[in-house]
Amino acid sequence: MGIWQGRSKRKKTGGRLRPIRNKRRFEIGRELQYATVGEPSLKLYRVRGAARKVRILGANQVNVYDPATKTTKSVKTTTVVRNDANPNYVQRNIISRGAILQTELGPVQIRSRPGQDGVLNGVLLPKESAPKSPNA
């Protein structure tokens, strides 16, 4: 069954809404595909207006901005430390915006949207504000 982003058949109160039309093609949603730590791979999508979006399916490099030195480096990433979007994403090494990754330089918070931008950009976190591992 596909993902449909149209109007619901029910009101917030649970009452019935009468349909004003049938489903339309522009109301179809995309299938869920997550960016993970691993072998680099990208997927191109055609979106409305014939524009293109790039979705990251796997990545092992992240562009890290260091606020102390004001430099950007491409750094190898090892694992996901914390992801506030869903705690289960940490076990599955799924990367989303706001996730904190462990890299060679230290913990990095992702600031880009991997499913929309096609690139992983992050900011290096200070050592004292680094998240504690739940297993420690």
Side-chain angles (χ1 to χ4, degrees):
M1 193 163 180
I3 299 171
W4 180 59
Q5 296 177 335
R7 191 175 94 160
S8 174
K9 293 183 179 181
R10 294 284 173 176
K11 299 178 186 179
K12 290 181 182 178
T13 59
R16 179 172 169 236
L17 282 173
R18 294 185 178 272
I20 55 173
R21 63 171 186 227
N22 293 329
K23 294 180 181 179
R24 299 289 194 252
R25 187 178 184 278
F26 62 81
E27 295 171 344
I28 296 174
R30 299 277 182 204
E31 69 276 4
L32 296 176
Q33 291 182 326
Y34 300 110
T36 59
V37 176
E39 283 298 311
S41 62
L42 300 173
K43 189 168 186 179
L44 290 173
Y45 283 95
R46 181 193 182 274
V47 293
R48 192 169 175 135
R52 303 291 250 171
K53 279 189 182 178
V54 181
R55 180 175 292 172
I56 291 181
L57 299 180
N60 57 10
Q61 297 279 331
V62 60
N63 300 322
V64 177
Y65 173 73
D66 186 1
T69 61
K70 295 185 172 39
T71 58
T72 303
K73 298 176 189 172
S74 183
V75 181
K76 186 175 166 97
T77 182
T78 56
T79 185
V80 177
V81 177
R82 191 174 86 203
N83 195 332
D84 291 335
N86 189 340
N88 190 31
Y89 286 179
V90 177
Q91 297 169 352
R92 297 166 57 192
N93 269 343
I94 292 177
I95 305 168
S96 64
R97 187 176 193 272
I100 297 177
L101 305 180
Q102 186 61 40
T103 63
E104 295 172 342
L105 294 179
V108 172
Q109 184 175 25
I110 300 298
R111 295 290 176 95
S112 62
R113 294 163 46 183
Q116 303 277 332
D117 303 334
V119 67
L120 275 182
N121 295 329
V123 175
L124 189 65
L125 297 175
K127 300 290 184 195
E128 61 271 2
S129 70
K132 304 291 187 260
S133 175
N135 298 337

